[in-house]
Amino acid sequence: RKPVSEEWMHLAVVACGDRVDETLTMLKSALLFSIKKIKFHIFAEDSLKPQFEKGLNKWPHPFTLKFQYSIYSITFSVGNAQEWKKLFKPCAAQRLFLPVILKEVDSLLYVDTDVLFLRPMDDIWSFLKEFNTTQLAAMAPEHEIPKIGWYSRFARHPFYGKTGVNSGVMLMNLTRIRNTLFKNSMIPSGLAWEDLLHPLYQKYKNHITWGDQDLLNIIFHYNPECLYSFPCQWNYRPDHCMYGSNCPGAEEEGVSILHGNRGVYHDDKQPAFKAVYEAIHDYPFEDNLFQSMFYPLQTKFLETVNTLCGRIPQVFLKQVEKTMRKVYEQRVIVHLKHPPN
């Protein structure tokens, strides 16, 4: 038998400010569809801890059997904590320190608070098995088309590949990260992850716009063999549909992970993204998934068809429907095997 620890998936998120509700909705989406159990690693300001505990402890049985959680304070192990906090968004740089802090964890999926799982987390977790011997992290490209990509047009620092990578969904083999010496532009012999972060920041701090994501781009620019690249449907953002549809994988099989950056879940700029967020946010745990989530979502999409992202509803709905059927079938099978007394 495998040790129990191997049967859990690990999901990390960093939440500061007014992101508690959004983070709980993300965790809910991971839990609703997952098959294996999940250990949540939540990094948050101390003042938010009671809100997270209250929210997570409200979730009903049997869902409580599928997850455990730990809440950590925001800590930066090297350099000036205040400086790291101010990098891009408050606390976002915390993700750079996960390999250093979570020493007991072998592998981890990090996501931003504004991410939603539209299929089991198990499916992205399985990419860990596809890493070759040098790969230790996976991210999706920042853009599909270099001529409209941000990095390819504006970056004043090195970045990965033709369009850079987006760090909102990042799968990591932490053990490999801890054991690797990374090539860099500062010293020829290579540096361990923990020793690399602060000098890298010092060197490029006047040239970076997107904070920790830029630092990751610089690291993987010099170490491209260490990165596995996800297709765009695993980190699908408004950029993939607001300039016309440019994520072929999502058109083919639907969005796997939705990333509502630019605050689109909470304003009216991209109603398609907001519709998915609200459907998951408002879903009562015990209800039938089709009746209480999928059908209302379909109805909401009818109101978005005149928007650039809403005119391709199948991109948003295909994977959700497929996932719900799977979850529903599994529950029926479990129910048949173990009927209630």
Side-chain angles (χ1 to χ4, degrees), residues 285-300:
F285 265 102
E286 293 96 334
D287 281 18
N288 177 296
L289 276 165
F290 277 97
Q291 281 173 348
S292 300
M293 192 194 292
F294 190 67
Y295 297 136
L297 184 55
Q298 273 185 320
T299 308
K300 271 185 182 164

Side-chain angles (χ1 to χ4, degrees), residues 160-173:
Y160 176 85
K162 287 183 180 167
T163 59
V165 280
N166 181 283
S167 59
V169 178
M170 186 176 176
L171 187 63
M172 293 180 267
N173 182 321

Side-chain angles (χ1 to χ4, degrees), residues 243-289:
Y243 307 114
S245 182
N246 60 34
C247 176
E251 288 176 40
E252 214 169 288
E253 55 179 74
V255 172
S256 297
I257 292 183
L258 195 68
H259 184 181
N261 62 349
R262 308 171 190 263
V264 293
Y265 295 149
H266 312 294
D267 61 28
D268 296 315
K269 288 180 184 155
Q270 299 296 343
F273 281 77
K274 191 178 183 181
V276 178
Y277 177 80
E278 288 178 348
I280 293 172
H281 179 274
D282 298 344
Y283 168 71
F285 265 102
E286 293 96 334
D287 281 18
N288 177 296
L289 276 165

Side-chain angles (χ1 to χ4, degrees), residues 21 34 40 43 120-121 125 129 140 142 149 164 168 170 173 193 216 218 224 236 248 254 262 265 274 279 309 316 335:
D21 206 33
S34 74
F40 297 142
F43 289 81
M121 181 182 150
W125 192 253
K129 294 192 187 79
E142 171 65 23
M170 186 176 176
N173 182 321
W193 187 265
L216 289 165
I218 296 164
Y236 189 89
R262 308 171 190 263
Y265 295 149
K274 191 178 183 181
C309 292
F316 292 83
H335 199 75

Side-chain angles (χ1 to χ4, degrees), residues 19-31:
R19 296 298 183 102
V20 174
D21 206 33
E22 186 176 87
T23 306
L24 287 169
T25 305
M26 178 278 288
L27 297 172
K28 181 182 183 182
S29 73
L31 193 63

Side-chain angles (χ1 to χ4, degrees), residues 24-94:
L24 287 169
T25 305
M26 178 278 288
L27 297 172
K28 181 182 183 182
S29 73
L31 193 63
L32 278 176
F33 304 137
S34 74
I35 298 156
K36 287 205 272 297
K37 295 174 179 178
I38 309 175
K39 177 80 192 275
F40 297 142
H41 300 272
I42 301 162
F43 289 81
E45 291 162 308
D46 294 341
S47 59
L48 303 182
K49 285 184 184 180
Q51 294 174 58
F52 273 114
E53 284 168 354
K54 188 180 170 194
L56 291 163
N57 294 339
K58 271 199 316 208
W59 289 356
H61 184 85
F63 289 97
T64 46
L65 302 174
K66 284 181 68 178
F67 77 96
Q68 290 177 357
Y69 70 89
S70 299
I71 303 175
Y72 310 81
S73 299
I74 301 290
T75 49
F76 301 101
S77 55
V78 292
N80 180 324
Q82 287 313 314
E83 219 173 356
W84 283 119
K85 270 189 184 167
K86 286 190 294 223
L87 183 66
F88 190 46
K89 287 181 181 164
C91 316
Q94 180 70 73

